Structure formats: structure tokens, C-alpha cells
Amino acid sequence: MLTKSATQKIEKELKKFPKDQRQSAIISTLRIIQEENGFLTDDLIGVAADYLDMPKIAAMEVATFYNMFELKSAGKYKISICTNISCALRDADEIVCHLKKKLKINFNEITKDEKFSLKESECMGACGGAPLMTINNQKMYECLTPQKVDQILEDLES
């Protein structure tokens, strides 16, 4: 089930770890597989585990623990918003309500046009910029206001 490209990328990641510690590459392996498939299915997690010679349950624990992994289809733009204490104290709930209303979805849902999905996130480690969100686990946006969120979404669509 792994493409030649994915296998090459995983092998490159494996070189970063001792030969007897293949399971250390599980995060990279799951990321590579998700990039090619859009999200991780139970079977794909099993493929990753088999490739790294580790129990499937251990790979599943990683896939379900980290916010960067999707176990079902996500929107083109996956918005993850931090709701932990620092962000909560700086009005993250206002941003969450604004996003839910604007996108007409709740957490773990996808818009009808499949453009956006919304996910609640644990601390992103940038508390000084609270409240904050990421888009596609790549770009972080800090010091959010409803107006700033609207501009960010508008810029994505242009």
C-alpha cells in the first residue's frame, strides 16, 4: 500500500535513528502516509506499523494522540484552534464561536464545500500570542480577533 515515493521518504527518515529503533520514525511515517492519502485509515496505520516492525496499537496510539493526524477526511484548510488555558483567558471562546458561526460547522466537522474543517487543539506552545490557531498544521496565526480571522479566511479563498 506504500507508494515508491512514500517508501523513499520513510527510508530517508529511518536513517535518522538507530537501526534497531525503527519505531522512532512513526510520526514521520504517519505524516508521509497522510500527505499522500489526505487522512489515515485503520489500514494505513497498520501499514505504517508493519513497515516499522511495531505493534499496530502503538502506531494507533500515536495517530490518535497528535493533533496533526486526521482519521477522517478533513477540509482543504484544516483550522486548529487552541482552547487551553492561556488562549481561553484571552478570549479563544469568542474566536471559536465566531468560526463556528461563520463556517456553519462545529469541531470535527467539514464545510459542505469541503473547504474548511475545524478542530479543537491542545496547547500549541505560543501562549504569548494567544488566542491562536494553525491552518493545515503549518502556518500559525496569533493574537486573533474576529476581524483578523475574517481576513485570514478571505486571504485563503483568494
Side-chain angles (χ1 to χ4, degrees):
M1 278 182 120
L2 289 176
T3 65
K4 182 178 180 181
S5 173
T7 302
Q8 289 172 339
K9 290 175 185 176
I10 293 167
E11 285 300 320
K12 184 178 178 181
E13 291 298 316
L14 281 167
K15 290 178 183 176
K16 298 175 183 177
F17 303 101
K19 290 183 191 269
D20 64 338
Q21 298 294 314
R22 290 178 63 85
Q23 73 277 8
S24 298
I26 187 60
I27 291 175
S28 297
T29 300
L30 291 172
R31 180 186 47 77
I32 291 164
I33 292 171
Q34 179 173 277
E35 283 175 1
E36 287 201 351
N37 296 281
F39 61 100
L40 298 171
T41 64
D42 192 59
D43 288 342
L44 289 171
I45 294 168
V47 167
D50 290 344
Y51 195 83
L52 298 177
D53 300 321
M54 62 188 291
K56 182 178 176 183
I57 188 64
M60 183 64 75
E61 287 170 343
V62 173
T64 58
F65 179 78
Y66 290 101
N67 195 44
M68 68 180 118
F69 298 120
E70 295 298 328
L71 302 180
K72 62 182 183 176
S73 182
K76 178 180 178 182
Y77 301 108
K78 183 182 83 168
I79 300 169
S80 299
I81 183 158
C82 179
T83 57
N84 273 20
I85 190 68
S86 292
C87 287
L89 290 172
R90 297 193 61 196
D91 298 324
D93 58 332
E94 178 184 11
I95 303 303
V96 169
C97 289
H98 181 73
L99 278 165
K100 286 180 176 182
K101 183 177 178 182
K102 183 169 187 70
L103 300 175
K104 299 179 177 114
I105 57 173
N106 286 308
F107 285 131
N108 303 312
E109 293 181 351
I110 186 169
T111 56
K112 288 181 183 177
D113 62 3
E114 297 185 352
K115 205 174 223 182
F116 297 98
S117 54
L118 187 59
K119 194 167 191 176
E120 186 173 21
S121 178
E122 292 299 319
C123 182
M124 296 178 186
C127 301
L132 56 103
M133 68 182 188
T134 61
I135 297 181
N136 295 340
N137 296 314
Q138 295 173 353
K139 180 136 174 79
M140 184 177 291
Y141 300 89
E142 300 178 86
C143 303
L144 297 173
T145 63
Q147 297 77 23
K148 190 171 182 179
V149 168
D150 288 346
Q151 185 61 55
I152 292 165
L153 296 181
E154 187 177 309
D155 291 346
L156 288 174
E157 297 186 70
S158 57

